[in-house]
Short mmCIF file of all heavy atoms in Angstrom, two decimals:
data_model
loop_
_atom_site.label_atom_id
_atom_site.label_comp_id
_atom_site.label_asym_id
_atom_site.label_seq_id
_atom_site.Cartn_x
_atom_site.Cartn_y
_atom_site.Cartn_z
N ALA O 41 4.45 -16.26 -9.70
CA ALA O 41 3.29 -16.70 -10.47
C ALA O 41 2.43 -15.54 -10.93
O ALA O 41 1.77 -15.61 -11.98
CB ALA O 41 2.45 -17.67 -9.62
N SER O 42 2.41 -14.48 -10.15
CA SER O 42 1.53 -13.35 -10.46
C SER O 42 2.16 -12.35 -11.40
O SER O 42 1.46 -11.59 -12.07
CB SER O 42 1.15 -12.62 -9.17
OG SER O 42 2.26 -11.90 -8.65
N GLY O 43 3.48 -12.29 -11.42
CA GLY O 43 4.15 -11.23 -12.19
C GLY O 43 3.84 -9.86 -11.64
O GLY O 43 3.84 -8.87 -12.39
N ALA O 44 3.52 -9.74 -10.36
CA ALA O 44 3.13 -8.47 -9.76
C ALA O 44 4.17 -7.38 -10.06
O ALA O 44 5.37 -7.65 -10.09
CB ALA O 44 2.97 -8.62 -8.25
N GLY O 45 3.68 -6.17 -10.25
CA GLY O 45 4.56 -5.07 -10.62
C GLY O 45 5.11 -4.29 -9.45
O GLY O 45 6.09 -3.55 -9.59
N ILE O 46 4.47 -4.43 -8.28
CA ILE O 46 4.89 -3.72 -7.07
C ILE O 46 4.64 -4.63 -5.88
O ILE O 46 3.63 -5.35 -5.85
CB ILE O 46 4.08 -2.40 -6.90
CG1 ILE O 46 4.52 -1.36 -7.93
CG2 ILE O 46 4.21 -1.84 -5.49
CD1 ILE O 46 3.71 -0.08 -7.90
N ALA O 47 5.54 -4.58 -4.91
CA ALA O 47 5.34 -5.31 -3.65
C ALA O 47 5.14 -4.31 -2.52
O ALA O 47 5.94 -3.38 -2.38
CB ALA O 47 6.53 -6.20 -3.34
N THR O 48 4.07 -4.47 -1.75
CA THR O 48 3.88 -3.59 -0.60
C THR O 48 4.53 -4.22 0.63
O THR O 48 4.50 -5.43 0.82
CB THR O 48 2.39 -3.31 -0.32
OG1 THR O 48 1.69 -4.53 -0.14
CG2 THR O 48 1.78 -2.54 -1.46
N VAL O 49 5.11 -3.35 1.43
CA VAL O 49 5.86 -3.79 2.61
C VAL O 49 5.56 -2.84 3.77
O VAL O 49 4.93 -1.80 3.58
CB VAL O 49 7.38 -3.79 2.33
CG1 VAL O 49 7.75 -4.87 1.34
CG2 VAL O 49 7.84 -2.42 1.83
N SER O 50 6.02 -3.21 4.95
CA SER O 50 5.79 -2.37 6.11
C SER O 50 7.04 -2.29 6.96
O SER O 50 8.12 -2.74 6.53
CB SER O 50 4.61 -2.93 6.92
OG SER O 50 4.18 -1.98 7.88
N LEU O 51 6.93 -1.73 8.13
CA LEU O 51 8.05 -1.69 9.06
C LEU O 51 7.49 -1.84 10.47
O LEU O 51 6.41 -1.34 10.77
CB LEU O 51 8.87 -0.40 8.92
CG LEU O 51 8.22 0.95 9.14
CD1 LEU O 51 9.30 2.03 9.24
CD2 LEU O 51 7.28 1.31 8.03
N ARG O 52 8.21 -2.58 11.25
CA ARG O 52 7.81 -2.85 12.63
C ARG O 52 9.06 -2.93 13.50
O ARG O 52 10.17 -3.03 12.98
CB ARG O 52 7.03 -4.19 12.71
CG ARG O 52 5.63 -4.15 12.11
CD ARG O 52 4.69 -3.33 12.96
NE ARG O 52 3.32 -3.29 12.43
CZ ARG O 52 2.83 -2.34 11.64
NH1 ARG O 52 3.62 -1.34 11.27
NH2 ARG O 52 1.58 -2.37 11.23
N ARG O 53 8.85 -2.88 14.81
CA ARG O 53 9.97 -2.99 15.73
C ARG O 53 10.81 -4.22 15.39
O ARG O 53 10.26 -5.31 15.18
CB ARG O 53 9.45 -3.11 17.15
CG ARG O 53 8.88 -1.81 17.69
CD ARG O 53 8.15 -2.02 18.98
NE ARG O 53 7.83 -0.75 19.64
CZ ARG O 53 7.02 -0.64 20.69
NH1 ARG O 53 6.44 -1.72 21.20
NH2 ARG O 53 6.79 0.54 21.23
N GLU O 54 12.12 -4.03 15.34
CA GLU O 54 13.00 -5.15 15.01
C GLU O 54 13.06 -6.14 16.17
O GLU O 54 13.54 -5.82 17.25
CB GLU O 54 14.41 -4.62 14.67
CG GLU O 54 15.45 -5.71 14.44
CD GLU O 54 15.14 -6.63 13.27
OE1 GLU O 54 14.09 -7.31 13.34
OE2 GLU O 54 15.93 -6.69 12.33
N GLY O 55 12.52 -7.32 15.90
CA GLY O 55 12.58 -8.35 16.92
C GLY O 55 13.21 -9.60 16.36
O GLY O 55 12.98 -10.71 16.84
#
Side-chain angles (χ1 to χ4, degrees):
Chain O
S42 72
I46 287 176
T48 56
V49 292
S50 193
L51 60 168
R52 288 289 181 266
R53 288 169 169 170
E54 174 62 298

